[in-house]
């Protein structure tokens, strides 16, 4: 099912240098807690909006001791949805390199998979993705 852009988003981006922060969802049912924020900074002089997605990942799945040894449950990727009109995505983590690949897309968005260094039980990771999208002509108006 394709995701459609919301017409009301353009109305939110009216004042120059305005910041919007949208909380992301968290999931813990599979042993990982993922929380984050997305910040939109209007850059009227450049005709762009700088988007920063900051994701915190925590592994709360204990290691399991079996007759064959220890089973480790690790996490090493997440996905972000990026507008099709966005420029290149730059991604970093607090523990090393982040690679990326586009896993799906439609007319409006693309889903980018971010692969970061493994997160073991009790560890956390912070992954930050940044990109720009074009601002509407009204973004710099007061």
């Amino acid at each position: 099912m394709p995701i459609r852009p919301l017409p009301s988003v353009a109305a939110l981006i009216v004042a120059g240098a305005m910041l919007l922060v949208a909380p992301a969802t968290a999931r813990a049912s599979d042993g990982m807690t993922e929380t984050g924020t997305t910040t939109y900074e209007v850059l009227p002089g450049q005709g762009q909006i700088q988007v920063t997605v900051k994701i915190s990942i925590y592994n709360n799945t204990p290691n399991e001791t079996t007759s064959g040894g220890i089973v480790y449950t690790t996490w090493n990727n997440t996905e972000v949805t990026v507008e099709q009109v966005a420029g290149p995505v730059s991604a970093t983590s607090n523990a090393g390199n982040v690679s990326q690949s586009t896993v799906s897309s439609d007319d409006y968005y693309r889903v980018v998979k971010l692969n970061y260094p493994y997160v073991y039980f009790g560890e956390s990771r912070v992954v930050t993705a940044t990109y720009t999208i074009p601002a509407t002509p009204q973004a710099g108006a007061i």
Side-chain angles (χ1 to χ4, degrees):
M1 173 178 194
I3 301 171
R4 303 285 187 241
L6 300 173
S8 61
V9 171
L12 291 174
I13 305 170
V14 174
M18 177 175 71
L19 293 177
L20 300 175
V21 179
T25 59
R27 61 180 187 176
S29 63
D30 60 0
M32 176 184 62
T33 302
E34 185 176 275
T35 58
T37 57
T38 301
T39 304
Y40 297 86
E41 181 181 1
V42 177
L43 306 171
Q46 298 172 22
Q48 296 181 332
I49 300 169
Q50 176 70 43
V51 181
T52 302
V53 181
K54 187 174 183 177
I55 304 165
S56 298
I57 300 106
Y58 177 75
N59 183 346
N60 55 358
T61 303
N63 301 328
E64 182 182 343
T65 303
T66 67
S67 60
I70 299 175
V71 176
Y72 298 91
T73 301
T74 61
W75 307 104
N76 73 331
N77 65 71
T78 191
E79 295 178 349
V80 294
T81 302
V82 178
E83 297 83 354
Q84 282 289 11
V85 297
V89 175
S90 174
T92 61
S93 85
N94 64 340
N97 293 334
V98 177
S99 64
Q100 59 181 285
S101 60
T102 300
V103 294
S104 66
S105 65
D106 65 19
D107 290 343
Y108 302 100
Y109 298 97
R110 66 184 188 265
V111 177
V112 178
K113 182 177 183 178
L114 304 174
N115 296 293
Y116 48 81
Y118 285 102
V119 181
Y120 293 89
F121 172 64
E123 291 183 338
S124 61
R125 186 80 63 243
V126 177
V127 176
T128 304
T130 59
Y131 58 92
T132 59
I133 55 177
T136 65
Q138 297 82 9
I142 295 182

